[in-house]
Amino acid sequence: MSLKDTRWEELADIKRVLARRDWFPGTSGNLAIKVDDQPLSFLVTASGKDKTKETNEDFLLVDGQGKPVGDTHLKPSDETLLHKEIYNKTNAGCSLHVHTVDNNVISELYGDKGSITFKGQEIIKACGLWEEDAELTIPIIYNHAHIPTLATEFGEFVKEDAGAVLIRNHGITVWGRTALEAKKYLEACEFLFSYHLKLLSFKAIKNNLSRINGQ
Ligand SMILES: CSCCC(=O)C(=O)COP(=O)(O)O
Ligand SMILES: [Zn+2]
């Protein structure tokens, strides 16, 4: 099996798992995995496809500029430039972008602040932070419609080999050294978003009940 085929299988496995969770609503989302370093090439999802379907046209190989390698009728993801930023600036091997209701709500709630920070949660370890008082801060950027502008702003937060950036009312992009690391990072972020929103809802209910009961 060629390296490209091996990476294809790895990315297809992740795509299958994320699709089962309904993390690609309305054809949203895009995934990428590095194939070669010199020269840089990576597989990226073809644009506009239903990512819950599995076909042999799900991914195409692009170069370090995000342009297709060889002849193809497939169009790389509209957000290929964001994945390109990651592979050009870090040693990441895989990058994942999904739109979920939870990541969109969190991005809107904390968008004006420009970031959200989590601490005191065991699952932060899945993002490689093992200290007892570790904090995970996820930047939130404006959802520029002009993708090169979005990619440039996004790139300002791409400094480590693993990380995450929320795009306001759009989605999250995460990356890691390996496919497993990127998937783990994404799952931890979505866990934290879901936990945080549930906690806020229950606190609001509790406060209202206390007010009604005059406590
Ligand atoms: C249908 S959602 C709008 C585009 C988007 O944000 C996305 O993630 C999917 O775009 P792609 O070109 O990768 O299919
Ligand atoms: Zn998107």
Side-chain angles (χ1 to χ4, degrees):
M1 209 189 230
S2 69
L3 187 56
K4 181 184 157 192
D5 290 344
T6 306
R7 296 289 178 253
W8 181 295
E9 289 304 322
E10 270 184 273
L11 200 57
D13 285 349
I14 289 185
K15 182 169 157 289
R16 197 174 306 123
V17 172
L18 303 189
R20 279 196 210 117
R21 293 196 191 132
D22 257 338
W23 282 4
F24 298 126
T27 73
S28 66
N30 36 75
L31 314 176
I33 193 163
K34 189 159 75 178
V35 173
D36 246 311
D37 262 313
Q38 278 178 336
L40 175 62
S41 66
F42 59 95
L43 286 167
V44 66
T45 41
S47 182
K49 300 234 176 206
D50 178 352
K51 279 99 189 181
T52 66
K53 299 272 190 298
E54 284 185 52
T55 77
N56 56 11
E57 296 192 330
D58 285 349
F59 313 117
L60 69 152
L61 193 68
V62 297
D63 62 19
Q65 298 308 309
K67 301 276 179 255
V69 172
D71 267 354
T72 178
H73 65 280
L74 297 173
K75 183 176 170 290
S77 164
D78 279 348
E79 289 156 12
T80 299
L81 288 185
L82 279 75
H83 298 280
K84 187 202 99 170
E85 286 290 316
I86 293 165
Y87 300 120
N88 277 297
K89 292 192 159 170
T90 72
N91 291 313
C94 182
S95 45
L96 310 170
H97 167 73
V98 296
H99 301 198
T100 66
V101 173
D102 287 351
N103 69 37
N104 273 247
V105 174
I106 290 282
S107 76
E108 179 57 17
L109 280 178
Y110 293 91
D112 286 347
K113 224 172 143 224
S115 67
I116 180 164
T117 298
F118 297 99
K119 55 186 171 194
Q121 296 279 142
E122 180 70 8
I123 204 151
I124 285 177
K125 290 178 181 168
C127 301
L129 302 168
W130 290 82
E131 308 83 48
E132 196 171 305
D133 53 356
E135 292 189 356
L136 174 70
T137 296
I138 303 173
I140 305 169
I141 63 171
Y142 179 75
N143 184 27
H144 299 278
H146 183 246
I147 301 295
T149 305
L150 180 66
T152 301
E153 190 169 341
F154 173 81
E156 287 167 24
F157 296 97
V158 179
K159 291 175 182 146
E160 312 277 345
D161 293 342
V165 173
L166 274 163
I167 308 167
R168 190 166 180 169
N169 279 324
H170 177 161
I172 191 168
T173 300
V174 305
W175 61 96
R177 286 165 206 85
T178 62
L180 176 62
E181 189 175 56
K183 179 170 169 282
K184 247 168 52 166
Y185 212 114
L186 175 61
E187 289 170 343
C189 288
E190 293 294 332
F191 176 102
L192 289 164
F193 299 155
S194 174
Y195 170 88
H196 190 70
L197 294 176
K198 241 180 207 161
L199 192 66
L200 288 182
S201 306
F202 284 114
K203 276 183 177 171
I205 292 169
K206 199 173 150 211
N207 286 342
N208 277 340
L209 285 175
S210 301
R211 206 166 30 84
I212 290 163
N213 295 330
Q215 290 166 358

PDB file of all heavy atoms in Angstrom, residues 151-182:
ATOM      1  N   ALA A 151      -8.084  32.672   6.384  1.00  0.00           N
ATOM      2  CA  ALA A 151      -6.901  31.816   6.572  1.00  0.00           C
ATOM      3  C   ALA A 151      -5.755  32.600   7.205  1.00  0.00           C
ATOM      4  O   ALA A 151      -5.026  32.068   8.055  1.00  0.00           O
ATOM      5  CB  ALA A 151      -6.470  31.213   5.239  1.00  0.00           C
ATOM      6  N   THR A 152      -5.593  33.860   6.817  1.00  0.00           N
ATOM      7  CA  THR A 152      -4.509  34.675   7.389  1.00  0.00           C
ATOM      8  C   THR A 152      -4.748  34.900   8.882  1.00  0.00           C
ATOM      9  O   THR A 152      -3.838  34.736   9.704  1.00  0.00           O
ATOM     10  CB  THR A 152      -4.399  36.032   6.647  1.00  0.00           C
ATOM     11  OG1 THR A 152      -4.160  35.742   5.274  1.00  0.00           O
ATOM     12  CG2 THR A 152      -3.281  36.889   7.194  1.00  0.00           C
ATOM     13  N   GLU A 153      -5.999  35.254   9.246  1.00  0.00           N
ATOM     14  CA  GLU A 153      -6.287  35.467  10.677  1.00  0.00           C
ATOM     15  C   GLU A 153      -6.149  34.155  11.451  1.00  0.00           C
ATOM     16  O   GLU A 153      -5.577  34.113  12.538  1.00  0.00           O
ATOM     17  CB  GLU A 153      -7.686  36.063  10.862  1.00  0.00           C
ATOM     18  CG  GLU A 153      -7.891  36.497  12.298  1.00  0.00           C
ATOM     19  CD  GLU A 153      -9.141  37.337  12.523  1.00  0.00           C
ATOM     20  OE1 GLU A 153      -9.687  37.894  11.546  1.00  0.00           O
ATOM     21  OE2 GLU A 153      -9.568  37.411  13.683  1.00  0.00           O
ATOM     22  N   PHE A 154      -6.656  33.093  10.849  1.00  0.00           N
ATOM     23  CA  PHE A 154      -6.556  31.760  11.461  1.00  0.00           C
ATOM     24  C   PHE A 154      -5.079  31.419  11.719  1.00  0.00           C
ATOM     25  O   PHE A 154      -4.702  30.952  12.797  1.00  0.00           O
ATOM     26  CB  PHE A 154      -7.208  30.744  10.510  1.00  0.00           C
ATOM     27  CG  PHE A 154      -7.040  29.320  10.903  1.00  0.00           C
ATOM     28  CD1 PHE A 154      -7.861  28.746  11.869  1.00  0.00           C
ATOM     29  CD2 PHE A 154      -6.058  28.527  10.305  1.00  0.00           C
ATOM     30  CE1 PHE A 154      -7.710  27.419  12.231  1.00  0.00           C
ATOM     31  CE2 PHE A 154      -5.902  27.205  10.662  1.00  0.00           C
ATOM     32  CZ  PHE A 154      -6.726  26.648  11.629  1.00  0.00           C
ATOM     33  N   GLY A 155      -4.243  31.696  10.712  1.00  0.00           N
ATOM     34  CA  GLY A 155      -2.823  31.348  10.781  1.00  0.00           C
ATOM     35  C   GLY A 155      -2.104  32.006  11.956  1.00  0.00           C
ATOM     36  O   GLY A 155      -1.108  31.474  12.458  1.00  0.00           O
ATOM     37  N   GLU A 156      -2.619  33.158  12.409  1.00  0.00           N
ATOM     38  CA  GLU A 156      -1.990  33.832  13.548  1.00  0.00           C
ATOM     39  C   GLU A 156      -2.070  32.996  14.833  1.00  0.00           C
ATOM     40  O   GLU A 156      -1.309  33.207  15.768  1.00  0.00           O
ATOM     41  CB  GLU A 156      -2.665  35.192  13.794  1.00  0.00           C
ATOM     42  CG  GLU A 156      -2.309  36.226  12.737  1.00  0.00           C
ATOM     43  CD  GLU A 156      -3.200  37.455  12.805  1.00  0.00           C
ATOM     44  OE1 GLU A 156      -3.765  37.738  13.881  1.00  0.00           O
ATOM     45  OE2 GLU A 156      -3.327  38.111  11.747  1.00  0.00           O
ATOM     46  N   PHE A 157      -3.021  32.049  14.858  1.00  0.00           N
ATOM     47  CA  PHE A 157      -3.194  31.216  16.060  1.00  0.00           C
ATOM     48  C   PHE A 157      -2.642  29.801  15.875  1.00  0.00           C
ATOM     49  O   PHE A 157      -2.838  28.939  16.719  1.00  0.00           O
ATOM     50  CB  PHE A 157      -4.683  31.166  16.439  1.00  0.00           C
ATOM     51  CG  PHE A 157      -5.209  32.526  16.813  1.00  0.00           C
ATOM     52  CD1 PHE A 157      -5.873  33.310  15.883  1.00  0.00           C
ATOM     53  CD2 PHE A 157      -4.995  33.031  18.085  1.00  0.00           C
ATOM     54  CE1 PHE A 157      -6.330  34.578  16.206  1.00  0.00           C
ATOM     55  CE2 PHE A 157      -5.453  34.294  18.431  1.00  0.00           C
ATOM     56  CZ  PHE A 157      -6.123  35.069  17.495  1.00  0.00           C
ATOM     57  N   VAL A 158      -1.988  29.595  14.760  1.00  0.00           N
ATOM     58  CA  VAL A 158      -1.411  28.270  14.486  1.00  0.00           C
ATOM     59  C   VAL A 158       0.072  28.330  14.836  1.00  0.00           C
ATOM     60  O   VAL A 158       0.892  28.774  14.027  1.00  0.00           O
ATOM     61  CB  VAL A 158      -1.633  27.857  13.009  1.00  0.00           C
ATOM     62  CG1 VAL A 158      -1.013  26.502  12.735  1.00  0.00           C
ATOM     63  CG2 VAL A 158      -3.119  27.844  12.678  1.00  0.00           C
ATOM     64  N   LYS A 159       0.375  27.912  16.095  1.00  0.00           N
ATOM     65  CA  LYS A 159       1.761  28.056  16.568  1.00  0.00           C
ATOM     66  C   LYS A 159       2.337  26.736  17.040  1.00  0.00           C
ATOM     67  O   LYS A 159       3.534  26.540  17.048  1.00  0.00           O
ATOM     68  CB  LYS A 159       1.811  29.063  17.713  1.00  0.00           C
ATOM     69  CG  LYS A 159       1.514  30.473  17.218  1.00  0.00           C
ATOM     70  CD  LYS A 159       1.450  31.462  18.356  1.00  0.00           C
ATOM     71  CE  LYS A 159       1.097  32.838  17.828  1.00  0.00           C
ATOM     72  NZ  LYS A 159       0.279  33.592  18.749  1.00  0.00           N
ATOM     73  N   GLU A 160       1.464  25.847  17.495  1.00  0.00           N
ATOM     74  CA  GLU A 160       1.918  24.564  18.054  1.00  0.00           C
ATOM     75  C   GLU A 160       1.573  23.441  17.067  1.00  0.00           C
ATOM     76  O   GLU A 160       0.770  23.631  16.162  1.00  0.00           O
ATOM     77  CB  GLU A 160       1.192  24.278  19.380  1.00  0.00           C
ATOM     78  CG  GLU A 160       1.169  25.430  20.354  1.00  0.00           C
ATOM     79  CD  GLU A 160       2.432  25.513  21.179  1.00  0.00           C
ATOM     80  OE1 GLU A 160       3.201  24.530  21.195  1.00  0.00           O
ATOM     81  OE2 GLU A 160       2.656  26.564  21.798  1.00  0.00           O
ATOM     82  N   ASP A 161       2.124  22.252  17.351  1.00  0.00           N
ATOM     83  CA  ASP A 161       1.845  21.099  16.482  1.00  0.00           C
ATOM     84  C   ASP A 161       0.453  20.513  16.718  1.00  0.00           C
ATOM     85  O   ASP A 161      -0.010  19.663  15.953  1.00  0.00           O
ATOM     86  CB  ASP A 161       2.900  20.004  16.691  1.00  0.00           C
ATOM     87  CG  ASP A 161       4.271  20.463  16.212  1.00  0.00           C
ATOM     88  OD1 ASP A 161       4.334  21.438  15.439  1.00  0.00           O
ATOM     89  OD2 ASP A 161       5.272  19.840  16.615  1.00  0.00           O
ATOM     90  N   ALA A 162      -0.183  20.924  17.817  1.00  0.00           N
ATOM     91  CA  ALA A 162      -1.572  20.523  18.076  1.00  0.00           C
ATOM     92  C   ALA A 162      -2.308  21.742  18.600  1.00  0.00           C
ATOM     93  O   ALA A 162      -1.743  22.521  19.374  1.00  0.00           O
ATOM     94  CB  ALA A 162      -1.625  19.393  19.102  1.00  0.00           C
ATOM     95  N   GLY A 163      -3.543  21.918  18.192  1.00  0.00           N
ATOM     96  CA  GLY A 163      -4.289  23.091  18.650  1.00  0.00           C
ATOM     97  C   GLY A 163      -5.691  23.133  18.079  1.00  0.00           C
ATOM     98  O   GLY A 163      -6.128  22.216  17.373  1.00  0.00           O
ATOM     99  N   ALA A 164      -6.390  24.225  18.426  1.00  0.00           N
ATOM    100  CA  ALA A 164      -7.775  24.386  17.974  1.00  0.00           C
ATOM    101  C   ALA A 164      -8.098  25.862  17.855  1.00  0.00           C
ATOM    102  O   ALA A 164      -7.603  26.677  18.634  1.00  0.00           O
ATOM    103  CB  ALA A 164      -8.726  23.728  18.970  1.00  0.00           C
ATOM    104  N   VAL A 165      -8.914  26.202  16.868  1.00  0.00           N
ATOM    105  CA  VAL A 165      -9.419  27.564  16.708  1.00  0.00           C
ATOM    106  C   VAL A 165     -10.902  27.475  16.378  1.00  0.00           C
ATOM    107  O   VAL A 165     -11.301  26.676  15.522  1.00  0.00           O
ATOM    108  CB  VAL A 165      -8.674  28.320  15.565  1.00  0.00           C
ATOM    109  CG1 VAL A 165      -9.325  29.671  15.291  1.00  0.00           C
ATOM    110  CG2 VAL A 165      -7.191  28.511  15.897  1.00  0.00           C
ATOM    111  N   LEU A 166     -11.697  28.282  17.095  1.00  0.00           N
ATOM    112  CA  LEU A 166     -13.130  28.379  16.777  1.00  0.00           C
ATOM    113  C   LEU A 166     -13.333  29.526  15.805  1.00  0.00           C
ATOM    114  O   LEU A 166     -12.719  30.597  15.963  1.00  0.00           O
ATOM    115  CB  LEU A 166     -13.930  28.666  18.046  1.00  0.00           C
ATOM    116  CG  LEU A 166     -14.346  27.474  18.899  1.00  0.00           C
ATOM    117  CD1 LEU A 166     -14.756  27.938  20.293  1.00  0.00           C
ATOM    118  CD2 LEU A 166     -15.479  26.697  18.241  1.00  0.00           C
ATOM    119  N   ILE A 167     -14.185  29.307  14.819  1.00  0.00           N
ATOM    120  CA  ILE A 167     -14.562  30.368  13.885  1.00  0.00           C
ATOM    121  C   ILE A 167     -16.010  30.714  14.224  1.00  0.00           C
ATOM    122  O   ILE A 167     -16.875  29.827  14.215  1.00  0.00           O
ATOM    123  CB  ILE A 167     -14.410  29.914  12.418  1.00  0.00           C
ATOM    124  CG1 ILE A 167     -13.022  29.335  12.184  1.00  0.00           C
ATOM    125  CG2 ILE A 167     -14.698  31.068  11.467  1.00  0.00           C
ATOM    126  CD1 ILE A 167     -12.877  28.574  10.874  1.00  0.00           C
ATOM    127  N   ARG A 168     -16.248  31.986  14.545  1.00  0.00           N
ATOM    128  CA  ARG A 168     -17.531  32.388  15.131  1.00  0.00           C
ATOM    129  C   ARG A 168     -18.729  32.042  14.238  1.00  0.00           C
ATOM    130  O   ARG A 168     -18.762  32.400  13.055  1.00  0.00           O
ATOM    131  CB  ARG A 168     -17.507  33.883  15.416  1.00  0.00           C
ATOM    132  CG  ARG A 168     -18.681  34.344  16.238  1.00  0.00           C
ATOM    133  CD  ARG A 168     -18.422  35.725  16.773  1.00  0.00           C
ATOM    134  NE  ARG A 168     -19.533  36.204  17.559  1.00  0.00           N
ATOM    135  CZ  ARG A 168     -19.480  37.292  18.319  1.00  0.00           C
ATOM    136  NH1 ARG A 168     -18.365  37.982  18.389  1.00  0.00           N
ATOM    137  NH2 ARG A 168     -20.538  37.686  19.008  1.00  0.00           N
ATOM    138  N   ASN A 169     -19.679  31.380  14.844  1.00  0.00           N
ATOM    139  CA  ASN A 169     -20.890  30.942  14.135  1.00  0.00           C
ATOM    140  C   ASN A 169     -20.578  30.184  12.850  1.00  0.00           C
ATOM    141  O   ASN A 169     -21.288  30.316  11.843  1.00  0.00           O
ATOM    142  CB  ASN A 169     -21.816  32.134  13.847  1.00  0.00           C
ATOM    143  CG  ASN A 169     -22.628  32.478  15.072  1.00  0.00           C
ATOM    144  OD1 ASN A 169     -23.030  31.581  15.828  1.00  0.00           O
ATOM    145  ND2 ASN A 169     -22.862  33.753  15.298  1.00  0.00           N
ATOM    146  N   HIS A 170     -19.525  29.432  12.890  1.00  0.00           N
ATOM    147  CA  HIS A 170     -19.114  28.643  11.730  1.00  0.00           C
ATOM    148  C   HIS A 170     -18.723  27.233  12.178  1.00  0.00           C
ATOM    149  O   HIS A 170     -19.403  26.278  11.857  1.00  0.00           O
ATOM    150  CB  HIS A 170     -17.971  29.371  11.010  1.00  0.00           C
ATOM    151  CG  HIS A 170     -17.414  28.626   9.839  1.00  0.00           C
ATOM    152  ND1 HIS A 170     -16.680  29.231   8.843  1.00  0.00           N
ATOM    153  CD2 HIS A 170     -17.461  27.317   9.498  1.00  0.00           C
ATOM    154  CE1 HIS A 170     -16.325  28.322   7.949  1.00  0.00           C
ATOM    155  NE2 HIS A 170     -16.777  27.151   8.332  1.00  0.00           N
ATOM    156  N   GLY A 171     -17.644  27.117  12.955  1.00  0.00           N
ATOM    157  CA  GLY A 171     -17.214  25.775  13.362  1.00  0.00           C
ATOM    158  C   GLY A 171     -15.858  25.813  14.027  1.00  0.00           C
ATOM    159  O   GLY A 171     -15.359  26.880  14.401  1.00  0.00           O
ATOM    160  N   ILE A 172     -15.275  24.636  14.165  1.00  0.00           N
ATOM    161  CA  ILE A 172     -13.957  24.542  14.814  1.00  0.00           C
ATOM    162  C   ILE A 172     -12.996  23.837  13.872  1.00  0.00           C
ATOM    163  O   ILE A 172     -13.407  22.936  13.113  1.00  0.00           O
ATOM    164  CB  ILE A 172     -14.050  23.780  16.159  1.00  0.00           C
ATOM    165  CG1 ILE A 172     -12.751  23.920  16.971  1.00  0.00           C
ATOM    166  CG2 ILE A 172     -14.391  22.300  15.947  1.00  0.00           C
ATOM    167  CD1 ILE A 172     -12.869  23.436  18.408  1.00  0.00           C
ATOM    168  N   THR A 173     -11.744  24.258  13.910  1.00  0.00           N
ATOM    169  CA  THR A 173     -10.685  23.524  13.204  1.00  0.00           C
ATOM    170  C   THR A 173      -9.653  23.117  14.251  1.00  0.00           C
ATOM    171  O   THR A 173      -9.198  23.947  15.036  1.00  0.00           O
ATOM    172  CB  THR A 173     -10.047  24.388  12.099  1.00  0.00           C
ATOM    173  OG1 THR A 173     -11.064  24.746  11.160  1.00  0.00           O
ATOM    174  CG2 THR A 173      -8.951  23.620  11.366  1.00  0.00           C
ATOM    175  N   VAL A 174      -9.328  21.829  14.263  1.00  0.00           N
ATOM    176  CA  VAL A 174      -8.318  21.313  15.192  1.00  0.00           C
ATOM    177  C   VAL A 174      -7.238  20.594  14.399  1.00  0.00           C
ATOM    178  O   VAL A 174      -7.476  20.161  13.274  1.00  0.00           O
ATOM    179  CB  VAL A 174      -8.922  20.329  16.232  1.00  0.00           C
ATOM    180  CG1 VAL A 174     -10.072  20.937  16.981  1.00  0.00           C
ATOM    181  CG2 VAL A 174      -9.332  19.032  15.578  1.00  0.00           C
ATOM    182  N   TRP A 175      -6.089  20.458  15.004  1.00  0.00           N
ATOM    183  CA  TRP A 175      -5.014  19.725  14.338  1.00  0.00           C
ATOM    184  C   TRP A 175      -4.149  19.022  15.369  1.00  0.00           C
ATOM    185  O   TRP A 175      -4.167  19.352  16.560  1.00  0.00           O
ATOM    186  CB  TRP A 175      -4.172  20.667  13.456  1.00  0.00           C
ATOM    187  CG  TRP A 175      -3.482  21.775  14.190  1.00  0.00           C
ATOM    188  CD1 TRP A 175      -2.194  21.798  14.644  1.00  0.00           C
ATOM    189  CD2 TRP A 175      -4.054  23.049  14.574  1.00  0.00           C
ATOM    190  NE1 TRP A 175      -1.927  22.994  15.274  1.00  0.00           N
ATOM    191  CE2 TRP A 175      -3.049  23.780  15.249  1.00  0.00           C
ATOM    192  CE3 TRP A 175      -5.315  23.635  14.418  1.00  0.00           C
ATOM    193  CZ2 TRP A 175      -3.263  25.059  15.753  1.00  0.00           C
ATOM    194  CZ3 TRP A 175      -5.528  24.913  14.935  1.00  0.00           C
ATOM    195  CH2 TRP A 175      -4.512  25.609  15.582  1.00  0.00           C
ATOM    196  N   GLY A 176      -3.401  18.020  14.904  1.00  0.00           N
ATOM    197  CA  GLY A 176      -2.505  17.275  15.786  1.00  0.00           C
ATOM    198  C   GLY A 176      -1.408  16.622  14.966  1.00  0.00           C
ATOM    199  O   GLY A 176      -1.480  16.582  13.737  1.00  0.00           O
ATOM    200  N   ARG A 177      -0.403  16.091  15.688  1.00  0.00           N
ATOM    201  CA  ARG A 177       0.728  15.466  14.985  1.00  0.00           C
ATOM    202  C   ARG A 177       0.285  14.247  14.189  1.00  0.00           C
ATOM    203  O   ARG A 177       0.834  13.934  13.149  1.00  0.00           O
ATOM    204  CB  ARG A 177       1.815  15.063  15.984  1.00  0.00           C
ATOM    205  CG  ARG A 177       2.596  16.233  16.527  1.00  0.00           C
ATOM    206  CD  ARG A 177       3.402  15.847  17.760  1.00  0.00           C
ATOM    207  NE  ARG A 177       3.634  17.002  18.596  1.00  0.00           N
ATOM    208  CZ  ARG A 177       2.778  17.454  19.523  1.00  0.00           C
ATOM    209  NH1 ARG A 177       1.645  16.817  19.747  1.00  0.00           N
ATOM    210  NH2 ARG A 177       3.041  18.531  20.213  1.00  0.00           N
ATOM    211  N   THR A 178      -0.697  13.533  14.721  1.00  0.00           N
ATOM    212  CA  THR A 178      -1.213  12.335  14.058  1.00  0.00           C
ATOM    213  C   THR A 178      -2.732  12.454  13.937  1.00  0.00           C
ATOM    214  O   THR A 178      -3.355  13.302  14.586  1.00  0.00           O
ATOM    215  CB  THR A 178      -0.904  11.079  14.893  1.00  0.00           C
ATOM    216  OG1 THR A 178      -1.596  11.234  16.153  1.00  0.00           O
ATOM    217  CG2 THR A 178       0.584  10.897  15.140  1.00  0.00           C
ATOM    218  N   ALA A 179      -3.302  11.534  13.164  1.00  0.00           N
ATOM    219  CA  ALA A 179      -4.763  11.519  13.001  1.00  0.00           C
ATOM    220  C   ALA A 179      -5.431  11.281  14.358  1.00  0.00           C
ATOM    221  O   ALA A 179      -6.425  11.928  14.700  1.00  0.00           O
ATOM    222  CB  ALA A 179      -5.156  10.442  11.996  1.00  0.00           C
ATOM    223  N   LEU A 180      -4.853  10.369  15.154  1.00  0.00           N
ATOM    224  CA  LEU A 180      -5.436  10.076  16.472  1.00  0.00           C
ATOM    225  C   LEU A 180      -5.389  11.310  17.376  1.00  0.00           C
ATOM    226  O   LEU A 180      -6.355  11.624  18.071  1.00  0.00           O
ATOM    227  CB  LEU A 180      -4.713   8.892  17.132  1.00  0.00           C
ATOM    228  CG  LEU A 180      -5.173   8.571  18.557  1.00  0.00           C
ATOM    229  CD1 LEU A 180      -6.647   8.178  18.581  1.00  0.00           C
ATOM    230  CD2 LEU A 180      -4.328   7.457  19.166  1.00  0.00           C
ATOM    231  N   GLU A 181      -4.250  12.017  17.343  1.00  0.00           N
ATOM    232  CA  GLU A 181      -4.132  13.198  18.203  1.00  0.00           C
ATOM    233  C   GLU A 181      -5.154  14.268  17.805  1.00  0.00           C
ATOM    234  O   GLU A 181      -5.792  14.889  18.661  1.00  0.00           O
ATOM    235  CB  GLU A 181      -2.712  13.773  18.143  1.00  0.00           C
ATOM    236  CG  GLU A 181      -2.498  14.848  19.189  1.00  0.00           C
ATOM    237  CD  GLU A 181      -1.070  15.369  19.247  1.00  0.00           C
ATOM    238  OE1 GLU A 181      -0.556  15.832  18.215  1.00  0.00           O
ATOM    239  OE2 GLU A 181      -0.467  15.304  20.324  1.00  0.00           O
ATOM    240  N   ALA A 182      -5.334  14.474  16.505  1.00  0.00           N
ATOM    241  CA  ALA A 182      -6.301  15.482  16.044  1.00  0.00           C
ATOM    242  C   ALA A 182      -7.724  15.072  16.438  1.00  0.00           C
ATOM    243  O   ALA A 182      -8.512  15.900  16.922  1.00  0.00           O
ATOM    244  CB  ALA A 182      -6.188  15.647  14.533  1.00  0.00           C
TER     245      ALA A 182
END
